Short mmCIF file of all heavy atoms in Angstrom, two decimals:
data_model
loop_
_atom_site.label_atom_id
_atom_site.label_comp_id
_atom_site.label_asym_id
_atom_site.label_seq_id
_atom_site.Cartn_x
_atom_site.Cartn_y
_atom_site.Cartn_z
N PRO A 270 6.52 -31.63 -25.23
CA PRO A 270 5.52 -30.63 -24.83
C PRO A 270 4.72 -30.11 -26.03
O PRO A 270 5.27 -29.94 -27.13
CB PRO A 270 6.37 -29.50 -24.23
CG PRO A 270 7.65 -30.14 -23.84
CD PRO A 270 7.88 -31.24 -24.84
N PHE A 271 3.42 -29.88 -25.77
CA PHE A 271 2.54 -29.37 -26.83
C PHE A 271 1.60 -28.35 -26.20
O PHE A 271 1.15 -28.52 -25.07
CB PHE A 271 1.76 -30.52 -27.47
CG PHE A 271 0.85 -30.09 -28.61
CD1 PHE A 271 1.31 -29.21 -29.60
CD2 PHE A 271 -0.45 -30.57 -28.70
CE1 PHE A 271 0.47 -28.83 -30.64
CE2 PHE A 271 -1.28 -30.19 -29.75
CZ PHE A 271 -0.83 -29.31 -30.72
N SER A 272 1.30 -27.32 -26.97
CA SER A 272 0.44 -26.24 -26.48
C SER A 272 -0.98 -26.70 -26.20
O SER A 272 -1.67 -26.10 -25.38
CB SER A 272 0.41 -25.12 -27.52
OG SER A 272 0.05 -25.64 -28.79
N ASP A 273 -1.44 -27.74 -26.87
CA ASP A 273 -2.84 -28.15 -26.77
C ASP A 273 -2.99 -29.65 -26.53
O ASP A 273 -3.51 -30.38 -27.38
CB ASP A 273 -3.58 -27.76 -28.06
CG ASP A 273 -3.63 -26.25 -28.22
OD1 ASP A 273 -2.61 -25.67 -28.63
OD2 ASP A 273 -4.68 -25.67 -27.91
N PRO A 274 -2.54 -30.10 -25.34
CA PRO A 274 -2.57 -31.55 -25.07
C PRO A 274 -3.98 -32.00 -24.67
O PRO A 274 -4.34 -32.01 -23.51
CB PRO A 274 -1.58 -31.70 -23.90
CG PRO A 274 -1.60 -30.37 -23.20
CD PRO A 274 -1.97 -29.33 -24.22
N MET A 275 -4.77 -32.39 -25.67
CA MET A 275 -6.21 -32.61 -25.49
C MET A 275 -6.57 -33.74 -24.52
O MET A 275 -7.65 -33.72 -23.97
CB MET A 275 -6.87 -32.90 -26.84
CG MET A 275 -7.27 -31.65 -27.60
SD MET A 275 -5.93 -31.07 -28.64
CE MET A 275 -5.86 -32.33 -29.89
N GLU A 277 -4.86 -34.61 -21.83
CA GLU A 277 -4.19 -34.47 -20.54
C GLU A 277 -5.03 -33.64 -19.57
O GLU A 277 -5.66 -32.67 -19.95
CB GLU A 277 -2.82 -33.79 -20.69
CG GLU A 277 -1.95 -34.31 -21.81
CD GLU A 277 -1.59 -35.79 -21.70
OE1 GLU A 277 -1.69 -36.36 -20.58
OE2 GLU A 277 -1.22 -36.37 -22.73
N GLN A 282 -0.94 -30.74 -18.40
CA GLN A 282 -1.08 -29.48 -19.15
C GLN A 282 -0.09 -28.44 -18.61
O GLN A 282 0.61 -27.77 -19.36
CB GLN A 282 -2.48 -28.89 -19.00
CG GLN A 282 -3.60 -29.63 -19.71
CD GLN A 282 -4.96 -29.00 -19.39
OE1 GLN A 282 -5.10 -27.78 -19.35
NE2 GLN A 282 -5.96 -29.82 -19.15
N THR A 294 11.96 -27.14 -27.13
CA THR A 294 11.55 -27.37 -28.52
C THR A 294 11.77 -28.85 -28.83
O THR A 294 12.40 -29.57 -28.03
CB THR A 294 12.43 -26.57 -29.51
OG1 THR A 294 13.80 -27.00 -29.32
CG2 THR A 294 12.32 -25.07 -29.27
N MET A 295 11.29 -29.30 -29.98
CA MET A 295 11.51 -30.70 -30.36
C MET A 295 13.01 -30.98 -30.48
O MET A 295 13.49 -32.04 -30.05
CB MET A 295 10.81 -30.98 -31.69
CG MET A 295 10.85 -32.43 -32.08
SD MET A 295 9.98 -33.48 -30.90
CE MET A 295 8.33 -33.39 -31.62
N ASN A 321 1.13 -32.80 -33.97
CA ASN A 321 1.52 -31.58 -34.70
C ASN A 321 3.00 -31.18 -34.58
O ASN A 321 3.60 -30.83 -35.57
CB ASN A 321 0.62 -30.39 -34.35
CG ASN A 321 0.73 -29.31 -35.40
OD1 ASN A 321 0.49 -29.57 -36.59
ND2 ASN A 321 1.14 -28.12 -34.99
N TYR A 324 4.79 -33.45 -36.96
CA TYR A 324 4.46 -33.11 -38.34
C TYR A 324 5.17 -31.83 -38.76
O TYR A 324 5.66 -31.70 -39.88
CB TYR A 324 2.94 -32.95 -38.44
CG TYR A 324 2.41 -32.78 -39.84
CD1 TYR A 324 2.41 -33.84 -40.74
CD2 TYR A 324 1.89 -31.56 -40.25
CE1 TYR A 324 1.91 -33.69 -42.03
CE2 TYR A 324 1.38 -31.40 -41.54
CZ TYR A 324 1.40 -32.46 -42.42
OH TYR A 324 0.91 -32.31 -43.69
N SER A 325 5.24 -30.88 -37.83
CA SER A 325 5.91 -29.61 -38.09
C SER A 325 7.41 -29.81 -38.29
O SER A 325 8.03 -29.18 -39.15
CB SER A 325 5.64 -28.66 -36.91
OG SER A 325 6.42 -27.50 -37.02
N VAL A 346 -0.69 -39.58 -29.20
CA VAL A 346 -2.06 -39.73 -28.70
C VAL A 346 -3.10 -39.58 -29.80
O VAL A 346 -4.07 -40.32 -29.85
CB VAL A 346 -2.32 -38.71 -27.57
CG1 VAL A 346 -3.76 -38.78 -27.09
CG2 VAL A 346 -1.35 -38.93 -26.41
N ASP A 347 -2.88 -38.63 -30.70
CA ASP A 347 -3.92 -38.35 -31.70
C ASP A 347 -3.65 -39.01 -33.05
O ASP A 347 -4.12 -38.54 -34.07
CB ASP A 347 -4.16 -36.84 -31.85
CG ASP A 347 -2.89 -36.03 -32.06
OD1 ASP A 347 -1.79 -36.63 -32.04
OD2 ASP A 347 -2.98 -34.81 -32.26
N PRO A 349 -4.68 -42.51 -34.29
CA PRO A 349 -5.31 -43.82 -34.15
C PRO A 349 -4.88 -44.75 -35.28
O PRO A 349 -4.25 -44.30 -36.24
CB PRO A 349 -6.80 -43.49 -34.23
CG PRO A 349 -6.87 -42.27 -35.09
CD PRO A 349 -5.60 -41.49 -34.80
N GLU A 351 -6.37 -45.86 -37.71
CA GLU A 351 -6.86 -45.40 -39.01
C GLU A 351 -5.83 -44.51 -39.70
O GLU A 351 -5.90 -44.29 -40.91
CB GLU A 351 -8.17 -44.63 -38.82
CG GLU A 351 -9.40 -45.53 -38.61
CD GLU A 351 -9.49 -46.12 -37.21
OE1 GLU A 351 -8.63 -45.82 -36.36
OE2 GLU A 351 -10.44 -46.89 -36.96
N GLU A 355 0.54 -42.54 -41.58
CA GLU A 355 1.18 -41.25 -41.31
C GLU A 355 2.56 -41.42 -40.68
O GLU A 355 3.55 -40.87 -41.14
CB GLU A 355 0.32 -40.40 -40.37
CG GLU A 355 -1.05 -40.04 -40.91
CD GLU A 355 -1.07 -38.71 -41.66
OE1 GLU A 355 -0.16 -37.88 -41.45
OE2 GLU A 355 -2.01 -38.52 -42.47
N THR A 372 -8.22 -48.44 -24.80
CA THR A 372 -9.03 -47.78 -23.78
C THR A 372 -10.26 -48.63 -23.46
O THR A 372 -10.52 -49.62 -24.15
CB THR A 372 -9.51 -46.41 -24.28
OG1 THR A 372 -10.51 -46.63 -25.30
CG2 THR A 372 -8.38 -45.59 -24.88
N THR A 374 -13.10 -48.06 -24.22
CA THR A 374 -14.02 -48.06 -25.36
C THR A 374 -13.51 -48.92 -26.52
O THR A 374 -14.21 -49.09 -27.51
CB THR A 374 -14.27 -46.63 -25.90
OG1 THR A 374 -13.02 -46.05 -26.27
CG2 THR A 374 -14.95 -45.75 -24.86
N THR A 375 -12.28 -49.43 -26.39
CA THR A 375 -11.75 -50.31 -27.44
C THR A 375 -12.30 -51.72 -27.22
O THR A 375 -11.80 -52.47 -26.40
CB THR A 375 -10.21 -50.35 -27.38
OG1 THR A 375 -9.71 -49.03 -27.26
CG2 THR A 375 -9.63 -51.00 -28.61
N ARG A 379 -12.72 -54.08 -32.13
CA ARG A 379 -11.77 -53.08 -32.59
C ARG A 379 -10.33 -53.40 -32.19
O ARG A 379 -9.37 -52.96 -32.84
CB ARG A 379 -12.18 -51.73 -31.98
CG ARG A 379 -11.31 -50.60 -32.41
CD ARG A 379 -11.90 -49.25 -32.07
NE ARG A 379 -10.88 -48.24 -32.25
CZ ARG A 379 -10.51 -47.76 -33.43
NH1 ARG A 379 -11.10 -48.16 -34.53
NH2 ARG A 379 -9.54 -46.87 -33.51
N GLY A 398 -11.34 -40.95 -19.73
CA GLY A 398 -11.05 -39.59 -19.29
C GLY A 398 -9.64 -39.17 -19.60
O GLY A 398 -8.95 -39.78 -20.42
N ARG B 550 -12.21 -41.90 -45.95
CA ARG B 550 -11.45 -41.76 -44.70
C ARG B 550 -11.56 -40.34 -44.14
O ARG B 550 -10.89 -39.98 -43.18
CB ARG B 550 -9.98 -42.14 -44.93
CG ARG B 550 -9.81 -43.63 -45.27
CD ARG B 550 -8.39 -43.92 -45.73
NE ARG B 550 -7.42 -43.71 -44.67
CZ ARG B 550 -6.25 -43.08 -44.85
NH1 ARG B 550 -5.92 -42.59 -46.03
NH2 ARG B 550 -5.43 -42.92 -43.83
N ARG B 559 -9.11 -38.10 -39.30
CA ARG B 559 -9.64 -38.38 -37.95
C ARG B 559 -8.47 -38.54 -37.00
O ARG B 559 -8.05 -39.65 -36.71
CB ARG B 559 -10.44 -39.69 -37.97
CG ARG B 559 -11.79 -39.58 -38.64
CD ARG B 559 -12.46 -40.93 -38.67
NE ARG B 559 -11.80 -41.83 -39.61
CZ ARG B 559 -12.45 -42.69 -40.40
NH1 ARG B 559 -13.75 -42.81 -40.34
NH2 ARG B 559 -11.77 -43.46 -41.22
N PHE B 560 -7.93 -37.42 -36.52
CA PHE B 560 -6.77 -37.47 -35.64
C PHE B 560 -7.23 -37.30 -34.19
O PHE B 560 -7.16 -36.20 -33.64
CB PHE B 560 -5.77 -36.38 -36.04
CG PHE B 560 -5.21 -36.56 -37.43
CD1 PHE B 560 -5.81 -35.94 -38.53
CD2 PHE B 560 -4.11 -37.38 -37.66
CE1 PHE B 560 -5.30 -36.12 -39.81
CE2 PHE B 560 -3.60 -37.57 -38.94
CZ PHE B 560 -4.19 -36.93 -40.02
N ALA B 562 -7.81 -39.25 -30.10
CA ALA B 562 -7.38 -40.27 -29.15
C ALA B 562 -8.27 -41.51 -29.31
O ALA B 562 -9.42 -41.43 -29.71
CB ALA B 562 -7.48 -39.73 -27.73
N GLU B 563 -7.69 -42.65 -28.96
CA GLU B 563 -8.37 -43.93 -29.13
C GLU B 563 -9.72 -43.96 -28.41
O GLU B 563 -10.69 -44.54 -28.92
CB GLU B 563 -7.47 -45.07 -28.65
CG GLU B 563 -8.10 -46.44 -28.58
CD GLU B 563 -8.60 -46.96 -29.93
OE1 GLU B 563 -8.13 -46.48 -30.97
OE2 GLU B 563 -9.50 -47.82 -29.93
N THR B 564 -9.81 -43.32 -27.24
CA THR B 564 -11.08 -43.35 -26.49
C THR B 564 -12.24 -42.84 -27.35
O THR B 564 -13.36 -43.33 -27.26
CB THR B 564 -10.97 -42.47 -25.22
OG1 THR B 564 -9.79 -42.84 -24.52
CG2 THR B 564 -12.17 -42.68 -24.31
N MET B 566 -12.29 -42.72 -30.74
CA MET B 566 -12.37 -43.30 -32.09
C MET B 566 -13.62 -44.16 -32.30
O MET B 566 -14.33 -43.98 -33.31
CB MET B 566 -11.08 -44.09 -32.35
CG MET B 566 -10.74 -44.26 -33.79
SD MET B 566 -10.63 -42.72 -34.72
CE MET B 566 -11.28 -43.31 -36.28
N PRO B 567 -13.94 -45.08 -31.37
CA PRO B 567 -15.15 -45.88 -31.60
C PRO B 567 -16.40 -45.00 -31.73
O PRO B 567 -17.28 -45.29 -32.55
CB PRO B 567 -15.23 -46.77 -30.35
CG PRO B 567 -13.81 -46.85 -29.86
CD PRO B 567 -13.21 -45.51 -30.16
N LYS B 719 -10.09 -21.88 -28.96
CA LYS B 719 -9.27 -23.09 -29.05
C LYS B 719 -9.20 -23.81 -27.70
O LYS B 719 -9.28 -25.03 -27.63
CB LYS B 719 -7.87 -22.70 -29.54
CG LYS B 719 -6.70 -23.42 -28.91
CD LYS B 719 -5.39 -22.94 -29.50
CE LYS B 719 -4.47 -22.28 -28.49
NZ LYS B 719 -3.85 -23.18 -27.54
N ASN B 723 -10.52 -27.55 -26.55
CA ASN B 723 -9.73 -28.56 -25.82
C ASN B 723 -10.52 -29.10 -24.63
O ASN B 723 -10.55 -30.30 -24.37
CB ASN B 723 -8.42 -27.95 -25.29
CG ASN B 723 -7.43 -27.66 -26.40
OD1 ASN B 723 -7.47 -28.28 -27.46
ND2 ASN B 723 -6.54 -26.71 -26.17
N ARG B 727 -11.94 -32.83 -23.73
CA ARG B 727 -11.59 -33.54 -22.48
C ARG B 727 -12.85 -34.04 -21.79
O ARG B 727 -12.88 -35.14 -21.24
CB ARG B 727 -10.79 -32.62 -21.56
CG ARG B 727 -9.38 -32.36 -22.08
CD ARG B 727 -8.58 -31.41 -21.19
NE ARG B 727 -7.29 -31.12 -21.81
CZ ARG B 727 -6.83 -29.91 -22.10
NH1 ARG B 727 -7.53 -28.83 -21.76
NH2 ARG B 727 -5.67 -29.76 -22.68
N VAL B 730 -14.08 -37.12 -23.79
CA VAL B 730 -13.30 -38.32 -23.51
C VAL B 730 -13.74 -38.94 -22.19
O VAL B 730 -13.76 -40.16 -22.03
CB VAL B 730 -11.79 -37.98 -23.46
CG1 VAL B 730 -10.99 -39.12 -22.88
CG2 VAL B 730 -11.27 -37.65 -24.85
N THR B 731 -14.11 -38.08 -21.25
CA THR B 731 -14.47 -38.55 -19.91
C THR B 731 -15.89 -39.11 -19.87
O THR B 731 -16.19 -40.01 -19.09
CB THR B 731 -14.33 -37.38 -18.91
OG1 THR B 731 -13.04 -36.81 -19.07
CG2 THR B 731 -14.49 -37.86 -17.48
N ARG B 828 0.25 -22.47 -41.71
CA ARG B 828 0.66 -23.59 -42.60
C ARG B 828 -0.02 -24.87 -42.10
O ARG B 828 -0.50 -24.91 -40.96
CB ARG B 828 2.18 -23.73 -42.62
CG ARG B 828 2.81 -23.98 -41.28
CD ARG B 828 4.33 -23.76 -41.32
NE ARG B 828 4.84 -23.73 -39.95
CZ ARG B 828 5.21 -24.80 -39.26
NH1 ARG B 828 5.14 -25.99 -39.81
NH2 ARG B 828 5.64 -24.69 -38.01
N GLY B 830 -1.16 -28.26 -40.48
CA GLY B 830 -0.81 -28.99 -39.26
C GLY B 830 -2.01 -29.78 -38.80
O GLY B 830 -3.02 -29.84 -39.50
N VAL B 831 -1.88 -30.39 -37.61
CA VAL B 831 -2.96 -31.24 -37.09
C VAL B 831 -3.40 -30.75 -35.72
O VAL B 831 -2.57 -30.64 -34.80
CB VAL B 831 -2.50 -32.72 -37.00
CG1 VAL B 831 -3.57 -33.57 -36.34
CG2 VAL B 831 -2.18 -33.25 -38.40
N ARG B 836 -6.45 -32.32 -40.10
CA ARG B 836 -5.31 -31.61 -40.67
C ARG B 836 -5.85 -30.44 -41.47
O ARG B 836 -6.77 -30.60 -42.28
CB ARG B 836 -4.47 -32.52 -41.56
CG ARG B 836 -3.31 -31.76 -42.21
CD ARG B 836 -2.17 -32.66 -42.69
NE ARG B 836 -2.65 -33.88 -43.26
CZ ARG B 836 -2.07 -35.06 -43.08
NH1 ARG B 836 -0.97 -35.18 -42.37
NH2 ARG B 836 -2.59 -36.15 -43.62
N GLN B 841 0.67 -21.42 -36.19
CA GLN B 841 1.59 -22.15 -35.33
C GLN B 841 2.98 -21.55 -35.43
O GLN B 841 3.31 -20.89 -36.41
CB GLN B 841 1.61 -23.62 -35.71
CG GLN B 841 1.91 -23.88 -37.19
CD GLN B 841 1.83 -25.37 -37.55
OE1 GLN B 841 2.26 -26.22 -36.80
NE2 GLN B 841 1.27 -25.66 -38.71
N ASP B 843 7.36 -22.01 -35.23
CA ASP B 843 8.28 -22.86 -35.97
C ASP B 843 8.37 -24.27 -35.40
O ASP B 843 8.80 -25.20 -36.08
CB ASP B 843 9.70 -22.24 -35.96
CG ASP B 843 9.75 -20.95 -36.75
OD1 ASP B 843 8.83 -20.73 -37.56
OD2 ASP B 843 10.70 -20.16 -36.55
N ASP B 844 7.99 -24.43 -34.12
CA ASP B 844 8.11 -25.73 -33.46
C ASP B 844 6.79 -26.49 -33.47
O ASP B 844 6.68 -27.52 -32.81
CB ASP B 844 8.61 -25.51 -32.03
CG ASP B 844 9.23 -26.77 -31.45
OD1 ASP B 844 10.01 -27.43 -32.17
OD2 ASP B 844 8.92 -27.12 -30.29
N GLY B 845 5.79 -25.98 -34.17
CA GLY B 845 4.52 -26.69 -34.22
C GLY B 845 3.64 -26.46 -33.00
O GLY B 845 2.68 -27.20 -32.77
N GLN B 846 3.95 -25.43 -32.21
CA GLN B 846 3.07 -25.06 -31.10
C GLN B 846 2.01 -24.13 -31.65
O GLN B 846 2.31 -23.24 -32.45
CB GLN B 846 3.86 -24.38 -29.96
CG GLN B 846 5.05 -25.18 -29.47
CD GLN B 846 4.67 -26.53 -28.86
OE1 GLN B 846 3.56 -26.70 -28.36
NE2 GLN B 846 5.58 -27.49 -28.92
N ILE B 847 0.77 -24.34 -31.20
CA ILE B 847 -0.35 -23.59 -31.76
C ILE B 847 -0.38 -22.18 -31.16
O ILE B 847 -0.24 -22.01 -29.95
CB ILE B 847 -1.68 -24.31 -31.46
CG1 ILE B 847 -1.61 -25.78 -31.89
CG2 ILE B 847 -2.84 -23.59 -32.16
CD1 ILE B 847 -1.26 -26.03 -33.33
#
Side-chain angles (χ1 to χ4, degrees):
Chain A
F271 182 45
S272 53
D273 295 78
M275 274 89 70
E277 314 300 340
Q282 289 176 41
T294 60
M295 186 63 88
N321 198 56
Y324 188 71
S325 171
V346 176
D347 51 356
E351 282 76 2
E355 297 269 339
T372 71
T374 58
T375 313
R379 182 167 168 78
Chain B
R550 294 170 65 224
R559 286 177 289 219
F560 297 93
E563 172 61 22
T564 310
M566 204 55 215
K719 141 180 117 73
N723 289 335
R727 289 178 185 124
V730 167
T731 308
R828 59 194 168 87
V831 175
R836 177 159 39 219
Q841 54 184 320
D843 293 342
D844 200 44
Q846 306 297 334
I847 308 303

